[in-house]
Amino acid sequence: MILLMVKEKKRPIKYRLKESRWFIPALFILSVILVLGSLGAGYYRLSLKEIISVLGSGDELAKSIIINIRLPRVLAAYTVGAALSVSGAAYQGVFKNPLVSPSILGVTYGAGVGASIAIVMGLSYFYIQTFAFIAGIAAVFLAYVLSINVKFGRKVSMILAGTLVGSLAYSIISVIKYFADTNSELPEITYWLMGSLSKANMRALSFALPAMAVGFVILMLMRNRLNVLTLSDEEAQSMGVSPRANMFYVVLASTLLCSGAACLSGTIRWFGLMVPHISRGIIGSEYKRLLPVSAMIGGCFLLLIDDIARSSLMIDIPIGLLISFIGAPFFYLLIRKGGLK
């Protein structure tokens, strides 16, 4: 008995977390605390007690600031982080490639094309968001169609087609930027491509959240099949799972998540690559736990980054820039230690 107790104490933390029934509920509680705490973050900071006091008082101005400005941004940060993390985890599993991120099929630059077109047309933020969402889905659809006739393996063909579509979309964005008005349109396009949540509002959330919710539900319903899809195609077929059909549904669900995230926040690189590796290192590769853990860790992580972005200086720092500064060193450490899984 004593030897068993000693062995249990020496077990790595991640194995204890894999078996713990309280880790996911604890992560959920942490998420709620961070969301509430983030309502007070900003240039004008408020404590949790002050937030509750404001919401319960008759100060309509302060209440309006919290509900109409800070709450939509906090919710957008959490949902975008969750969406990118979950889609990244799904893509890495189904493509059997630890270097895959949500932008691998061109959704990010596709959304950038849609947003850039809407900006040069002088449309409102809602239409910029709509164009970005539709263009992101269209880019992935184009990559999927192009991959059908490519004479490589199915997964390699999709990655190559996605790279092609992403490069084409980036070129289109460059052309649009070249002809855009340098005083108004060009700065707005550039700022959108840096990634920011400064324009998030309830109308934007009501547009993006349903699509992201559908994508997340599809992946959660497929969680057992995702485990099978990480095996070879022959093994998956022997277990009664069609790799081709199920890959289509995974790509569809992940595209809904990525397009919804892109139309809310613009371009955020590295995030969907980093967080799934962090989550997998903590909780393991079983998708029943990996998907919700990735969602909550990603939501909390991006929420903290956004709190820093709007609290550290008097200006609103694009969160895409902060993520890039974190992502590159993280990736180097990951490959140096052989932590790709």
Side-chain angles (χ1 to χ4, degrees), residues 44-66:
Y44 179 67
R45 299 182 183 181
L46 296 170
S47 66
L48 184 58
K49 182 178 180 181
E50 289 172 325
I51 292 171
I52 296 172
S53 176
V54 166
L55 293 177
S57 68
D59 190 342
E60 295 299 325
L61 178 59
K63 191 184 297 185
S64 177
I65 290 172
I66 292 175

Side-chain angles (χ1 to χ4, degrees), residues 119 180-194:
I119 289 170
D181 182 87
T182 55
N183 295 320
S184 58
E185 296 167 353
L186 182 58
E188 189 171 356
I189 293 172
T190 303
Y191 191 74
W192 192 93
L193 293 172
M194 288 182 181

Side-chain angles (χ1 to χ4, degrees), residues 190-254:
T190 303
Y191 191 74
W192 192 93
L193 293 172
M194 288 182 181
S196 175
L197 293 163
S198 60
K199 292 186 178 180
N201 54 46
M202 284 301 182
R203 188 182 184 189
L205 281 169
S206 65
F207 176 84
L209 282 179
M212 290 194 285
V214 170
F216 182 73
V217 169
I218 291 173
L219 290 179
M220 282 301 297
L221 291 174
M222 295 184 66
R223 59 191 182 274
N224 293 326
R225 295 187 181 187
L226 278 168
N227 290 325
V228 177
L229 290 175
T230 59
L231 306 174
S232 66
D233 288 357
E234 292 76 14
E235 289 176 303
Q237 288 175 342
S238 69
M239 298 176 71
V241 175
S242 170
R244 182 180 294 274
N246 284 279
M247 177 181 281
F248 173 80
Y249 291 119
V250 171
V251 170
L252 173 63
S254 298

